[in-house]
Amino acid sequence: MNLTISRSRKPAADVDAYIAAAPAAAQPQLRELRAMIRSEAPHATEKMSYGIPFYEYGERPNTFQSRLIYFAAQKNHIAVYPAGEGKGLEQYLTERSTLRFPLDERLPMSKLRALVRARVKERDNGGNAKPPRAGSRRSGSTR
């Protein structure tokens, strides 16, 4: 992942702080994206890593295989990593497994929803994703 973290700003402690510090134009879309991810992956744990929000889902926490999806606000776009196949999202696919959505366009939520569902299904079918106990969703830091 090629992520740029501003040296002039202290990384956000949690997802709420990250969204609050994002460009004003991106905040509503980030909130919508976050709500959708939580809806489609209710057993995922919300965390911060590399200075951006990510969702962990799997029975082996803190491993590459448990990382479900990341998102980030950039100056002119919202990025989502890793995209996987990203069916129907090819026009937004830039670097290896990175989706970039211009801030002046609405996010294609139905396609992003399908992407998150597919990633959850991959984890479930791979046998490495068991939902954590109820009430375990919380913000944290893995860095």
Side-chain angles (χ1 to χ4, degrees):
M1 249 179 249
N2 183 12
L3 304 176
T4 306
I5 300 171
S6 171
R7 295 184 196 281
S8 62
R9 279 193 313 182
K10 182 178 174 183
D14 61 26
V15 179
D16 289 320
Y18 181 87
I19 292 172
Q27 291 179 20
Q29 293 189 78
L30 293 175
R31 285 191 288 274
E32 182 181 17
L33 182 58
R34 179 189 195 189
M36 181 276 293
I37 294 168
R38 288 173 142 184
S39 171
E40 294 302 322
H43 299 293
T45 303
E46 183 174 81
K47 296 183 175 187
M48 295 293 293
S49 180
Y50 299 104
I52 63 173
F54 91 97
Y55 295 81
E56 184 171 66
Y57 183 76
E59 67 181 33
R60 293 187 313 196
N62 301 316
T63 64
F64 179 77
Q65 294 81 9
S66 70
R67 293 180 179 226
L68 187 66
I69 198 157
Y70 291 75
F71 66 81
Q74 302 296 336
K75 183 178 179 181
N76 298 313
H77 65 274
I78 292 174
V80 174
Y81 330 80
E85 282 187 36
K87 289 183 182 180
L89 296 166
E90 294 85 1
Q91 73 191 63
Y92 302 103
L93 193 59
T94 57
E95 299 165 18
R96 189 174 93 186
S97 201
T98 300
L99 296 168
R100 290 187 181 163
F101 303 97
L103 288 181
D104 61 351
E105 294 179 20
R106 288 196 41 80
L107 292 172
M109 292 308 291
S110 63
K111 292 176 182 173
L112 285 168
R113 185 177 310 280
L115 171 66
V116 173
R117 282 183 187 156
R119 293 189 59 76
V120 167
K121 188 175 180 180
E122 286 170 9
R123 300 303 186 280
D124 288 344
N125 289 340
N128 63 349
K130 287 185 182 174
R133 288 185 293 247
S136 65
R137 181 194 303 177
R138 62 192 176 283
S139 291
S141 178
T142 60
R143 249 186 115 185

